[in-house]
Amino acid sequence: GGVAAIEAVNIEKARLLYAALDADDFYVNKVAPNNRSRMNVPFFLRDESRNTEFLAGAQARGLLQLKGHKSVGGMRASIYNAMPIEGVQALVDYLNEFAGR
């Protein structure tokens, strides 16, 4: 498949994750849709007092390194080429579960 196949998978991974984040107002993504990265997806919980709970639940499910950069806060999912779509689906499942969807 080469580079074109990798790009197609990356587009699908990003689409899947952004769709979950944009499903309602539980999560906030401050990046305009036309400027969103396919590799690093920053987001916030609308209720940031639940960040610690969110991160603990993610870690319990093997979803690691989601804490955002110290200067920005929030969360950040890095979904580079090596991240399989199954890993993104696991994160989406957790996002939906945590939001009570």
Side-chain angles (χ1 to χ4, degrees):
V3 173
I6 293 170
E7 180 183 30
V9 171
N10 287 340
I11 289 169
E12 179 58 19
K13 291 186 307 189
R15 185 205 61 75
L16 186 65
L17 183 50
Y18 284 117
L21 294 171
D22 293 340
D24 55 42
D25 67 353
F26 191 88
Y27 300 104
V28 177
N29 184 306
K30 298 177 182 179
V31 180
N34 61 334
N35 293 325
R36 291 178 172 180
S37 171
R38 291 184 195 151
M39 300 293 132
N40 285 300
V41 179
F43 63 96
F44 297 83
L45 278 67
R46 175 127 353 245
D47 179 359
E48 292 192 60
S49 70
R50 298 186 69 191
N51 284 357
T52 301
E53 175 190 0
F54 176 86
L55 290 169
Q59 184 171 3
R61 289 161 180 78
L63 303 168
L64 309 175
Q65 305 298 319
L66 289 171
K67 187 175 181 179
H69 190 275
K70 64 182 177 180
S71 68
V72 178
M75 308 296 159
R76 180 186 69 202
S78 293
I79 55 173
Y80 287 95
N81 296 342
M83 171 60 69
I85 198 161
E86 294 83 6
V88 175
Q89 185 61 59
L91 175 56
V92 166
D93 291 346
Y94 177 61
L95 290 170
N96 290 334
E97 176 188 328
F98 193 82
R101 292 188 209 125

